[in-house]
Amino acid sequence: MRKKRFTLLSFVTAFMLLLGGCFSGETESKPDSSDSEKSGEEEKSDEKKVLHLNNSEEPGSLHPGTAEGTHDSWVLEHVFEGLTKKTPEGEIVAGMAKDWEVSDDGLTWTFHLEDDVKWSNGDPVTAEDFEYAWKYALNPETASEYAYQLYYLAGGEEYNSSENKDEYAELEEKVGVKAKDEKTLEVTLAEPTLYFLDLTSFYTYYPVNKKVQEENPDWALEADGYVSNGAFKLTEWEHKDSIKLEKNENYYDKDKIHLDEVNFVMIDNEDTAWQMYQADELDLVYPVPQDVQGELASSNDPELEIARDLSVYYYNLNTEVKPFNNIKVRKALSMAIDRKAIVEHVAQGGQPPAYGVVPPGIPDVEGDYQENSGALFKEDVEEAKKLLKEGLAEEGMDQMPKFTLTYNTNEGHKKIAEAAQEMWRKNLDIEVTLENVEFQVKLDREKAGDYDISRGGWVGDYVDPMTFLGLWVTGGSHNDPNWSNSEYDKNLKIARTSMDPKERMEAMHKAEEILISEMPVIPVYFYTMPFTLKPHVKGVFTPTNRYPQFIYADIEN
């Protein structure tokens, strides 16, 4: 922001990083006390390429089976690898699997693993590790929020939904994933799924070292004992402070990995992260303070990159709390927000206003899905006033009660919440209290239904409208508004099971129209991904639905 504000904790963090030699794009050497005078050639061989960047939150979990947020996935995507992975162009290519076949009916997929793939501890990565990991996430006792991503497997939903422990073993055996031998994985789907290959690059589908998990169920809680199979390995984790990754020498493609180390610092204050970037203590910063984004964009600063993003910013409305149970009240709140003002004067990152929940960038049968949808509602203050009055009367209320808007600690979320607060005050004469909490606290509160309105954001897990629309299916683990509509569910079922692209896209368009007509969530804008990157860092790329990827990054001295 214009005034650089530091909290005491942020100041101490920045000061300690400074003392620790945490400088942008640094090269570190390990001097040998027994041989302090080395030749230039010897010194050069000891140089390290170190990337420094920020993660705005402490990861809630670094176990593929229990992770659920981008604060988890940014690390996981670099320390693990699935059957497939994404190229800088967003193409799905071979990862742990060297090739695969699919049956004519689209139900059976057979993956063949590479011969030389290993875990960071030297163990071979096997097909059994994949089978074990997927069934671990589906196990009801794991309580994985992302288990539903494995419902595409035959028997997956039945196993995960069971409340009878006596039948767990039998149901697990029926799940459609089997290691036929050490290098062959056979997957049987419940229904044909056109985007299944995309899913195999997602972190819930990553393998887990079965031997390590069985010997130490808490292996993913600390760096000591952490075992992964990606380009980097986790070597240090100072909780709520920093994470260090190092190049994994057991990675099959290690010759393409140029970085020796990657250091994340946990900073929830965007101003602090930006200060550190300016002081050359960070090489990459995301997110960037919103007013800084505007200034850099207006000056065409080459260090600002505005990448496309497959995500939506929205507000959840708790439909189990009066008067948010009333459709007219929910629609009134949505129609009273000026989205153009928010994206131009607050967010300032080139974000498009959202009048639906599915963002641009997803192919339809013809053209772009979001462009074909168009605006599914419009802003109208007078209509909002009318709807609010009618909705409150239906609930036996004379006026809107004071309510709380909860958001996770972040200066950008605060400014957007303040803008919405003022618009509701000015346009609807509503009093709103703002509440900021840690991200994990917000997630827990949403799951418990302990909120009025909460800030939400969703990055697509794969490139299909279902990754957004599937959030609000009845009983869904991410259906935080606790909203339900049978016609919505019916259309999503058609979209999940149909192999006819036209039929499934038409069903999803209908479902989105139903969702917006009842407004359990208020779309605000579609994200872009503005981040700053030092010129000496090369090779960072941004797939459609991923944070900046540094797997192939390099540092030029």
Side-chain angles (χ1 to χ4, degrees), residues 60-322:
S61 171
L62 289 183
H63 189 301
T66 54
E68 62 171 315
T70 49
H71 57 316
D72 307 333
S73 64
W74 204 5
V75 178
L76 284 173
E77 288 162 357
H78 292 87
V79 297
F80 276 89
E81 185 170 289
L83 294 167
T84 61
K85 60 185 178 182
K86 290 196 172 184
T87 67
E89 296 74 32
E91 181 184 359
I92 303 296
V93 297
M96 290 288 109
K98 61 183 177 181
D99 54 42
W100 49 85
E101 304 97 43
V102 59
S103 61
D104 291 341
D105 62 6
L107 292 175
T108 303
W109 295 69
T110 305
F111 295 90
H112 305 281
L113 271 61
E114 293 278 3
D115 295 328
D116 58 346
V117 288
K118 296 179 181 179
W119 291 99
S120 55
N121 67 353
D123 292 345
V125 177
T126 68
E128 189 177 15
D129 291 328
F130 279 93
E131 177 184 350
Y132 179 82
W134 297 5
K135 289 180 175 178
Y136 174 86
L138 284 168
N139 189 324
E141 295 185 337
T142 301
S144 170
E145 293 292 341
Y146 255 122
Y148 75 91
Q149 289 288 23
L150 294 157
Y151 286 5
Y152 297 97
L153 307 182
E157 183 172 6
E158 290 80 0
Y159 178 34
N160 183 248
S161 301
S162 174
E163 297 179 358
N164 183 357
K165 290 185 178 182
D166 293 337
E167 65 180 12
Y168 283 0
E170 180 183 351
L171 291 173
E172 179 182 308
E173 183 62 27
K174 293 179 179 179
V175 174
V177 54
K178 303 291 180 185
K180 306 299 289 185
D181 56 45
E182 191 173 85
K183 295 296 180 181
T184 308
L185 186 74
E186 183 178 89
V187 180
T188 305
L189 303 184
E191 294 102 11
T193 305
L194 293 176
Y195 48 87
F196 181 70
L197 200 60
D198 197 329
L199 279 167
T200 60
S201 70
F202 184 64
Y203 58 83
T204 310
Y205 282 79
Y206 289 162
V208 168
N209 188 310
K210 179 182 178 181
K211 183 179 72 173
V212 169
Q213 176 76 40
E214 290 181 337
E215 291 178 355
N216 176 21
D218 295 330
W219 65 272
L221 299 180
E222 304 290 343
D224 184 26
Y226 195 90
V227 177
S228 59
N229 70 323
F232 298 91
K233 57 186 179 182
L234 176 67
T235 57
E236 293 181 19
W237 187 358
E238 299 295 330
H239 291 282
K240 296 191 176 182
D241 181 49
S242 62
I243 282 177
K244 177 190 280 189
L245 311 181
E246 295 183 15
K247 181 177 178 177
N248 179 9
E249 291 299 328
N250 284 323
Y251 184 58
Y252 69 98
D253 220 7
K254 66 179 180 180
D255 291 343
K256 295 181 180 179
I257 309 305
H258 308 293
L259 297 176
D260 296 296
E261 291 181 8
V262 178
N263 290 326
F264 282 95
V265 291
M266 310 304 167
I267 305 175
D268 62 13
N269 186 296
E270 295 176 358
D271 286 331
T272 303
W274 176 242
Q275 286 275 354
M276 292 176 69
Y277 182 85
Q278 290 180 303
D280 288 338
E281 295 165 10
L282 295 178
D283 301 301
L284 187 158
V285 164
Y286 177 76
V288 180
Q290 291 170 338
D291 57 347
V292 173
Q293 289 178 26
E295 293 169 4
L296 296 179
S298 63
S299 64
N300 295 315
D301 192 301
E303 293 184 24
L304 175 68
E305 299 198 15
I306 300 182
R308 61 180 181 171
D309 200 2
L310 195 71
S311 52
V312 58
Y313 193 108
Y314 59 91
Y315 287 126
N316 293 297
L317 298 164
N318 190 340
T319 63
E320 295 186 334
V321 174
K322 280 193 172 187

Side-chain angles (χ1 to χ4, degrees), residues 429-487:
D429 194 24
I430 290 175
E431 186 176 357
V432 183
T433 298
L434 303 184
E435 175 189 35
N436 73 292
V437 297
E438 290 185 359
F439 189 39
Q440 194 61 46
V441 173
K442 183 187 82 77
L443 294 178
D444 294 341
R445 292 261 304 273
E446 287 168 338
K447 296 295 178 291
D450 181 20
Y451 74 96
D452 295 326
I453 298 182
S454 71
R455 173 260 160 192
W458 191 261
V459 180
D461 298 328
Y462 46 93
V463 185
D464 189 90
M466 185 64 73
T467 189
F468 295 94
L469 298 174
L471 296 176
W472 300 290
V473 68
T474 299
S477 61
H478 290 281
N479 186 352
D480 296 323
N482 288 314
W483 173 75
S484 178
N485 182 290
S486 59
E487 279 300 307

Side-chain angles (χ1 to χ4, degrees), residues 335-550:
M335 296 172 72
I337 292 177
D338 185 342
R339 290 157 179 78
K340 184 178 179 182
I342 287 177
V343 298
E344 291 184 354
H345 303 299
V346 184
Q348 301 185 74
Q351 299 92 343
Y355 299 97
V357 294
V358 179
I362 298 178
D364 206 333
V365 177
E366 293 184 4
D368 181 90
Y369 178 96
Q370 192 275 325
E371 289 183 7
N372 290 343
S373 295
L376 298 179
F377 68 97
K378 64 179 181 178
E379 297 155 5
D380 187 329
V381 173
E382 293 306 313
E383 180 66 14
K385 290 177 179 178
K386 175 175 173 291
L387 289 174
L388 181 63
K389 183 177 180 180
E390 292 175 357
L392 291 174
E394 290 172 3
E395 302 304 320
M397 297 179 176
D398 294 327
Q399 61 182 14
M400 186 74 175
K402 184 177 180 179
F403 63 87
T404 300
L405 168 57
T406 302
Y407 61 92
N408 51 295
T409 304
N410 175 284
E411 191 67 20
H413 298 329
K414 177 184 177 183
K415 285 181 174 288
I416 293 169
E418 288 173 340
Q421 177 189 44
E422 175 59 18
M423 291 170 185
W424 285 329
R425 184 200 66 77
K426 178 182 177 181
N427 296 332
L428 299 177
D429 194 24
I430 290 175
E431 186 176 357
V432 183
T433 298
L434 303 184
E435 175 189 35
N436 73 292
V437 297
E438 290 185 359
F439 189 39
Q440 194 61 46
V441 173
K442 183 187 82 77
L443 294 178
D444 294 341
R445 292 261 304 273
E446 287 168 338
K447 296 295 178 291
D450 181 20
Y451 74 96
D452 295 326
I453 298 182
S454 71
R455 173 260 160 192
W458 191 261
V459 180
D461 298 328
Y462 46 93
V463 185
D464 189 90
M466 185 64 73
T467 189
F468 295 94
L469 298 174
L471 296 176
W472 300 290
V473 68
T474 299
S477 61
H478 290 281
N479 186 352
D480 296 323
N482 288 314
W483 173 75
S484 178
N485 182 290
S486 59
E487 279 300 307
Y488 183 83
D489 295 343
K490 178 182 176 182
N491 277 286
L492 287 193
K493 184 176 181 179
I494 293 171
R496 278 197 305 268
T497 58
S498 175
M499 290 295 286
D500 180 345
K502 183 177 180 181
E503 180 183 40
R504 65 184 305 271
M505 286 296 176
E506 286 178 351
M508 284 190 283
H509 280 295
K510 289 178 183 176
E512 188 176 13
E513 290 168 3
I514 292 169
L515 179 78
I516 296 302
S517 72
E518 296 200 2
M519 205 67 76
V521 295
I522 297 175
V524 181
Y525 61 74
F526 297 123
Y527 279 95
T528 55
M529 191 177 294
F531 63 97
T532 53
L533 185 68
K534 295 294 183 180
H536 54 252
V537 181
K538 308 297 181 182
V540 172
F541 64 98
T542 51
T544 301
N545 58 336
R546 296 286 193 273
Y547 271 23
Q549 302 288 291
F550 50 80

